[in-house]
Amino acid sequence: MTAELVVLLVVVLTALAFDFTNGFHDTGNAMATSIATGALRPKVAVALSATLNLIGAFLSVEVAATVAKGVVNLQSVSGEALLLIVFAGLVGGILWNLATWLFGLPSSSSHALFGGLIGAAIASIGMSGVEWSGVLGKVIIPALLSPVVAALVAMVGTKLIYRISRDVPEGTKGRGFRIGQVGTASLVSLAHGTNDAQKTMGVIFLALVAHGTISADAEMPFWVKLSCAVAIALGTYLGGWRIIRTLGKGLVEIAAPQGMAAESSSAAIILTSSHFGLPLSTTHVATGSILGTGLGRKGAEVRWGVAGRMAVAWLITLPSAGIVGAICWAVAHLIGGLPGILVVFALLLALAAFMYMRSRREPVDPGNVNAEWEGGLAPGAEAAPTPSPTGADHDAGADRTASNNT
């Protein structure tokens, strides 16, 4: 086995690791509201989401094509140099995903990946190494618009839902909308697979082009689709409970009608973006939708402090991941060749292990993910049990909480 082939295998393995972190980092985008309202039990929710992410990954490759050809300028770099850029960019994306997961911040996995690639490309070959028109048109502008559009759509949807169902008894309304949430949350999971799994496919495609295994005009190999689909599904099944808690309990006290409106809005926008090949941040869309439901429901509580922290994380994701990607490229380049890549890979494993061990000091899991929000991520010692999906009084309880806080 040649050194070049070992480098390619390490890069592909790192890409699948990023896909795995993407899965558990973004599970909350689809399932946080359904878990918060009791529409689905936590473990059932992540299993359903994982299955649909797996299916969705096979439905489109438009986003993969954008990632493979729309971020790094393939005319200015190739071969081992391109492999190193891809590897360093992936490490930057993984480390940012893990850091934001540790703090329960639903930042964009997509922007972490793009930031890492951009930083590594600039460090390697300068500003000309980035396809700036593609980054601006298909990454930055959609990132600015998507949460706003999602919030507006969800706000209007929430107002309509409450107006149409105002004469329906609360118990009946809650049960009906929780059933509806199962369908809408499933659709978001399917949409997530059509968008986010494609990003890692695009990165592996870049690595294969750099190695010379395939040409830039080749079709996406089936094994790439399959491995990326499985990786994101496994990550989704892991849960990402810290981010699920922030989205489900920390941003808005959410009831089942709001959850259905948020998920419907998110699914429509994500599927549309996948159709047009836009590598949209599903986190931005889902968060905007949840925030919109708080604005659309009279008397609902929106925790603007939490929203502000999330907005800051969004703003610094691209540059932060870019800096990490550039540093990783510099370390690997300084050492050189396969040893450089292995050193950076070892650093990635060490930092990942550290962040995992740090998270165990304040664990969030299926048993306490729905505990009352007390101003911080970690639930109190007497965490409330996760509500049953058949609990008819959940929406009424949410209504009482909202009225007590307004």
Side-chain angles (χ1 to χ4, degrees):
M1 183 179 290
T2 64
E4 290 79 8
L5 183 56
V6 174
V7 170
L8 176 64
L9 292 175
V10 171
V11 172
V12 170
L13 181 63
T14 307
L16 294 176
F18 171 81
D19 208 23
F20 181 81
T21 67
N22 191 348
F24 74 73
H25 198 280
D26 289 2
T27 309
N29 297 343
M31 291 297 171
T33 58
S34 295
I35 293 172
T37 64
L40 287 166
R41 295 183 185 277
K43 290 186 177 180
V44 173
V46 297
L48 177 61
S49 186
T51 302
L52 291 167
N53 263 301
L54 179 68
I55 296 171
F58 290 96
L59 299 183
S60 169
V61 293
E62 295 299 324
V63 172
T66 297
V67 174
K69 302 171 185 178
V71 178
V72 178
N73 185 352
L74 298 180
Q75 302 300 318
S76 59
V77 65
S78 60
E80 185 178 337
L82 179 55
L83 272 176
L84 183 55
I85 290 172
V86 171
F87 172 72
L90 286 165
V91 174
I94 291 172
L95 290 177
W96 184 255
N97 269 357
L98 292 176
T100 50
W101 162 79
L102 178 63
F103 292 103
L105 290 171
S107 68
S108 170
S109 297
S110 308
H111 287 193
L113 174 60
F114 297 142
L117 290 173
I118 290 169
I122 292 175
S124 175
I125 49 183
M127 300 296 284
S128 63
V130 179
E131 292 282 3
W132 292 108
S133 60
V135 170
L136 179 64
K138 294 198 171 185
V139 178
I140 295 178
I141 292 178
L144 296 174
L145 293 179
S146 61
V148 177
V149 173
L152 290 174
V153 173
M155 181 178 68
V156 172
T158 302
K159 287 181 178 292
L160 288 174
I161 282 174
Y162 275 103
R163 180 170 297 178
I164 293 169
S165 62
R166 62 181 178 270
D167 296 328
V168 179
E170 285 297 324
T172 304
K173 182 192 299 185
R175 284 190 295 272
F177 279 111
R178 278 192 287 273
I179 294 171
Q181 273 193 278
V182 176
T184 53
S186 298
L187 191 56
V188 176
S189 294
L190 188 70
H192 183 266
T194 68
N195 199 287
D196 279 49
Q198 312 296 318
K199 295 160 189 171
T200 307
M201 292 182 199
V203 170
I204 294 178
F205 187 90
L206 265 180
L208 294 174
V209 170
H211 183 258
T213 305
I214 60 176
S215 68
D217 298 324
E219 292 187 1
M220 185 69 65
F222 176 78
W223 71 265
V224 175
K225 295 181 185 179
L226 178 62
S227 58
C228 289
V230 170
I232 200 168
L234 290 174
T236 301
Y237 184 71
L238 188 66
W241 304 108
R242 305 174 80 82
I243 293 176
I244 289 175
R245 176 163 169 76
T246 299
L247 282 174
K249 301 297 291 185
L251 189 59
V252 175
E253 280 294 339
I254 200 162
Q258 293 168 266
M260 186 171 171
E263 292 153 4
S264 300
S265 169
S266 297
I269 292 171
I270 295 168
L271 286 171
T272 301
S273 70
S274 297
H275 176 73
F276 289 106
L278 296 175
L280 207 61
S281 167
T282 55
T283 301
H284 289 184
V285 174
T287 305
S289 295
I290 293 171
L291 184 61
T293 67
L295 298 174
R297 178 184 171 210
K298 186 177 180 180
E301 177 192 12
V302 177
R303 297 187 178 96
W304 292 107
V306 176
R309 291 196 294 273
M310 290 165 55
V312 171
W314 291 0
L315 289 174
I316 66 175
T317 291
L318 265 169
S320 297
I323 291 170
V324 176
I327 291 172
C328 291
W329 179 88
V331 171
H333 180 71
L334 181 65
I335 298 172
L338 178 60
I341 286 182
L342 292 179
V343 166
V344 173
F345 190 71
L347 288 173
L348 169 63
L349 295 178
L351 289 170
F354 168 77
M355 283 186 272
Y356 173 76
M357 296 304 296
R358 178 64 182 82
S359 74
R360 303 319 299 161
R361 296 183 187 178
E362 297 176 330
V364 180
D365 53 43
N368 62 15
V369 69
N370 266 357
E372 289 302 314
W373 187 268
E374 298 175 349
L377 173 66
E382 301 297 326
T386 299
S388 166
T390 58
D393 61 344
H394 186 277
D395 287 316
D399 288 337
R400 287 194 297 273
T401 301
S403 63
N404 290 337
N405 286 294
T406 54

